[in-house]
Each structure stands twice: as C-alpha cells, then as structure tokens.
Amino acid sequence: MSTSARPGWFRAFWRWHFYAAFLVVPVLLVLATTGLIYLFRFQLEPLMHADLLRVDQPADVDITQPYAVQQAAVERELPDSTVVAMTEPGGPDESTRFSVVRADGSGHDVYVDPWRADVLGSLDPDTTLSGTAVRLHADLMSGVWGDRLIELAACWAIVMALTGYFLFFKGRAARRRSRAPGARLRSRHAAVGSVVGLGLLLLLVSGLPWTGFWGAQAQQLATDRGGSLWSTDPGAISDPTSTLDESLPHSHAREVPWGMGKSEVPGGRGSASGESAGDGSRANVDTAVAVADREGLRHPVTVALPEADDGVFSVIGYAFDAPSQERTVHVDRFGGDVVSSYGFSDYPVLAKVVSQGIGLHEGRSLGLWSFWGAALMCVAVITSCVSGLTMWWRRRPAGSVGAPRGRMPVRSSPVLLGGLVVLGVLLPFFGLSLALVLALDLLVVRRVPWLSERLNAA
C-alpha cells in the first residue's frame, strides 16, 4: 500500500466504524448492563428475596424432608397449578425451588423450606431483577424483532471491533502527536478499545448461538443427523414433538444445556410394556434424584417431571462451572430404570465447541477468572461506548452528523472484498444489511445533495 493511499483507507475504516457505532452502541450498552446484572444474580437475588431463597436449619433437625413430600406441599398450596420441575438446594441455607405452570399458562417459581416442607412463597421469574435482565439481554423484551435487532447489532459489532483495531494501529503516531481538544479522550478510548476488542469478539461469537436465526441454524447443524442420542437409542420411545427445552417453562429454558436443547425426550420403558400407574412400582422425584446420584450426576440437580403417562424424569446434572460435565439422565417413571442418558461426551464437535463458548460467555467456565473477566469486560464495554459517544458529541459540526469522509476501496482490494464476502456468508444478517447500506449510499445518499452534505458522503 502506498503512503498516499493510507489516509483514504484510514478515513474509510473510520467512517464504517462511525456508522456501525450508531447501530451497535445502544444495543451494546443494554447487553453489557444486563449481562453485568446477570453475572451477579446469585449475589443480588438472595439479598432481594431472602424470605424465599434463604432458610434456617432447625436446631433439632438434621435431615431434610423428601422431595416428594415437598412437592406434595406445593400441590396442596397450588391445586390448580402443575409442577413441571424441581431444583435441589445448593446448600443447607437454601430453599428448594419448584417450577410450576398455572392454569393461565404462566410460569412461577415456588420455594419450599426443605427442613420443614413449608411453602415459603412464589415468584414470577420473569419479573425479578435478573429475570428482567435476561429478557432484555435475550430480545430487548420485544420478541422476534428484538432478537433480530440484537443479532444484526452483534454482526455489526464484529465489524466495529475489526475496524477499531485498524484505526488503533494506523492512528498511533497521530494520537501521540495530536494536541487537539479531545485528544486525551480519544487516546483513552483507543486504549480501552484495544483491550476490549478481543473480549468483545469472544462475547459476540459465543453469544450468537442464542440468537433466533443464526443460533437456530447452528443448533440444527450441531444436533441433527445423529447428533442426538435419541435417534439411535433402542430403549427410548421418542415423541418427535417433545424436546427437552419444552419440558421446562420458557423462563427456565437456559437451565437446559445448549447441546441437548433440541434433543427429543424419550418415553418410559414401562409405558411401552403396558404398565400403568397402578402396576408395579412407581418412581417419584426422590427416585429420580437417587438414580441420577448413582449415575454420577453432580448436585444440585434439576429434575423435569413427566408430562404424560409415558413420560420420564429428566434429571439435569449441575454443570454450571464445567460445561464438559453437562449430562442428563432420563429415568422411567414406573420402575425407576435409566431409559437413556445424554451428555457432553455424546455431543458432536460443533455442540462441544459452542457449549464451552457459552460457558465463557456467562463467566462460568474457568471459575473466578472467567467470572471477573466477564464482569470487567462488561464494564469496559460500557466505558468504551460512553467515551465513543462523548467524542462524537464534542466534535460534531453544526448541520452535520460529523461522519468522516471516505469510501471503502473494495474494487481495488480483492482481500477486503473477499473478507466482506466471507463475513456476509457466515453472518447473513450482516451480508444483507451491508448490501442494503451500500445500495442506499450509492443510489440515494450520494445523489441527494442535502443528504450527501450532512452525511459527508462527497
């Protein structure tokens, strides 16, 4: 590249970095803030709902009540609700959580004192602080349109990070010499961005599997064509319309490991042999927990209860801090036998990679290192967004948005063109939106003097 060409490249990348920020920064601020709240949910929620989440062990009691007894207490308290899942307490001072679906279809969490089997109360998980943060983080509480906007912003955030690195390395000398107003803020923005960039790219790529379009395609690729054990398990009677993530209320879908989220839930062997509720032994939630313990699942487990007579107890082992130990055991509701199991070792390669990436995204794969790393990354992203907005606000001229002038030298650079094509294929939302932006820039912005002047497109 000749020396004379460098300023054109620099301004072109600066222009795309600038315009990407208009879409990306508002979304990143929401994602980083809600992500920070979600990271600290285990510290915040017990403080806000101590009467439900915390219990005191009686001085004269050393044994907790069976889970079946606790479940019966919930069913007596809420006779019109259906218990769909149970999560064990994580410690002696924690309550047992039962997920229920009420007659109107809404999901609630009911908390039970495991020592006395007393119902403490209930919460709508969607209305808690962390629940609201999750809903905003997932789709801006706007359904499909919010999910699509986040996916689009994530694609352009990758572009913003890549162009930011180009600007960082090419503009080092200019930043050192500059004495212009705002130079110090610009240097700080560049320094923070140079650290944030790689972490942001990791968070964006690891978060894409949750998106409605890209994530759905990735999960289908990762779990189809034999990726699910149920397609080859001769002891399972699978209902093609019943999947593991549908065994829990929508609010609890995140408790299901990503790699098995679309795996079909097998039916019980007892139902296939003609047994019914009145024939032979009938297992309960305690049986399921005991069987899972014998199978080596880590505690505290979550148990999805059978939905029908031929259903099974799906016991999900605790793998919060170790995605490689994700495993679910399906227990027959009649004889208590293991119908089948599915875990990380059964995942195809893509599902293993994504599961580990999600663990890093949530700050839980590497203990406190990843937790505090994710927390600091959220703070750094917020700082970078605010400093970028401040720089723009200070330098914007009257009557213009203050966009840098310059065009991407796509025609003269096959490497750049190839990179854009690859990104467009891997990230369809980016490819489609890029084509739209280029068309608008060429056919509208540069041909309408008023727009061209204000957007510095000349």
Side-chain angles (χ1 to χ4, degrees):
M1 184 191 304
S2 65
T3 303
S4 60
R6 288 177 183 174
W9 276 72
F10 186 88
R11 287 188 174 277
F13 274 83
W14 185 10
R15 184 178 180 86
W16 281 94
H17 186 81
F18 175 86
Y19 277 121
F22 270 92
L23 168 66
V24 170
V25 165
V27 177
L28 278 186
L29 283 173
V30 172
L31 295 182
T33 303
T34 54
L36 197 60
I37 294 172
Y38 185 71
L39 278 171
F40 286 93
R41 64 194 181 282
F42 295 122
Q43 290 76 33
L44 295 172
E45 294 298 347
L47 292 176
M48 301 176 68
H49 306 287
D51 56 327
L52 300 179
L53 276 65
R54 295 300 185 196
V55 296
D56 296 320
Q57 178 180 354
D60 56 343
V61 178
D62 295 324
I63 301 176
T64 58
Q65 296 293 316
Y67 294 121
V69 173
Q70 299 180 48
Q71 179 184 341
V74 173
E75 292 170 342
R76 286 194 303 270
E77 185 78 13
L78 302 169
D80 296 328
S81 298
T82 302
V83 178
V84 295
M86 182 278 298
T87 299
E88 292 183 301
D93 63 340
E94 296 183 16
S95 56
T96 308
R97 187 181 75 213
F98 288 86
S99 299
V100 305
V101 174
R102 293 186 172 177
D104 60 1
S106 63
H108 277 67
D109 286 339
V110 180
Y111 296 89
V112 178
D113 184 335
W115 304 102
R116 305 172 180 85
D118 293 334
V119 175
L120 302 174
S122 66
L123 281 175
D124 181 347
D126 284 342
T127 61
T128 62
L129 177 63
S130 60
T132 302
V134 167
R135 293 164 64 206
L136 282 168
H137 200 86
D139 58 15
L140 304 179
M141 296 173 64
S142 301
V144 174
W145 288 105
D147 177 83
R148 297 295 187 265
L149 177 59
I150 287 179
E151 186 167 349
L152 180 63
C155 294
W156 279 94
I158 293 174
V159 174
M160 191 175 70
L162 295 177
T163 54
Y165 273 115
F166 180 91
L167 299 175
F168 175 78
F169 288 110
K170 292 296 182 181
R172 284 180 297 178
R175 287 195 301 274
R176 286 195 296 265
R177 295 193 302 267
S178 178
R179 297 181 181 276
R184 180 175 298 180
L185 178 60
R186 186 161 59 250
S187 294
R188 289 175 179 172
H189 177 79
V192 173
S194 67
V195 177
V196 169
L198 289 176
L200 181 60
L201 287 172
L202 175 62
L203 288 175
L204 292 169
V205 172
S206 61
L208 279 173
W210 279 318
T211 57
F213 180 80
W214 195 96
Q217 309 309 312
Q219 190 174 68
Q220 183 175 358
L221 180 64
T223 58
D224 276 1
R225 300 185 183 279
S228 170
L229 184 64
W230 318 136
S231 61
T232 58
D233 183 358
I237 305 171
S238 300
D239 177 359
T241 64
S242 177
T243 55
L244 190 58
D245 57 346
E246 293 171 352
S247 300
L248 299 175
H250 176 72
S251 303
H252 304 279
R254 289 181 179 270
E255 295 176 356
V256 179
W258 184 90
M260 61 182 69
K262 295 299 182 182
S263 299
E264 293 173 358
V265 178
R269 288 173 178 159
S271 60
S273 62
E275 293 182 21
S276 64
D279 299 327
S281 61
R282 183 178 177 88
N284 58 22
V285 66
D286 293 285
T287 310
V289 172
V291 171
D293 183 63
R294 188 179 68 224
E295 292 293 313
L297 265 66
R298 297 174 68 203
H299 295 272
V301 300
T302 293
V303 184
L305 276 63
E307 291 183 343
D309 289 340
D310 63 345
V312 294
F313 291 96
S314 296
V315 189
I316 305 167
Y318 181 82
F320 181 82
D321 56 345
S324 61
Q325 296 191 41
E326 290 175 357
R327 189 167 170 233
T328 294
V329 171
H330 297 276
V331 180
D332 181 58
R333 68 176 300 172
F334 299 102
D337 300 322
V338 175
V339 176
S340 55
S341 65
Y342 188 57
F344 188 87
S345 61
D346 302 302
Y347 294 177
V349 174
L350 179 58
K352 289 181 178 179
V353 172
V354 173
S355 290
Q356 292 288 4
I358 287 175
L360 287 173
H361 186 97
E362 291 191 327
R364 56 184 174 83
S365 287
L366 303 175
L368 289 177
W369 287 101
S370 59
F371 174 84
W372 286 110
L376 289 174
M377 185 56 58
C378 289
V379 174
V381 168
I382 294 172
T383 301
S384 187
C385 289
V386 172
S387 62
L389 286 172
T390 304
M391 286 192 304
W392 166 70
W393 188 258
R394 289 180 177 179
R395 65 174 288 276
R396 77 196 193 289
S400 171
V401 297
R405 297 179 184 273
R407 289 190 182 185
M408 279 287 187
V410 176
R411 294 180 180 178
S412 61
S413 177
V415 174
L416 178 59
L417 177 60
L420 290 175
V421 171
V422 170
L423 271 178
V425 172
L426 293 177
L427 304 170
F429 275 28
F430 167 71
L432 292 173
S433 60
L434 176 63
L436 178 61
V437 168
L438 290 175
L440 288 174
D441 183 63
L442 179 64
L443 301 175
V444 179
V445 174
R446 296 183 184 277
R447 297 190 180 190
V448 178
W450 180 83
L451 282 175
S452 180
E453 180 182 352
R454 281 158 179 74
L455 297 178
N456 292 346

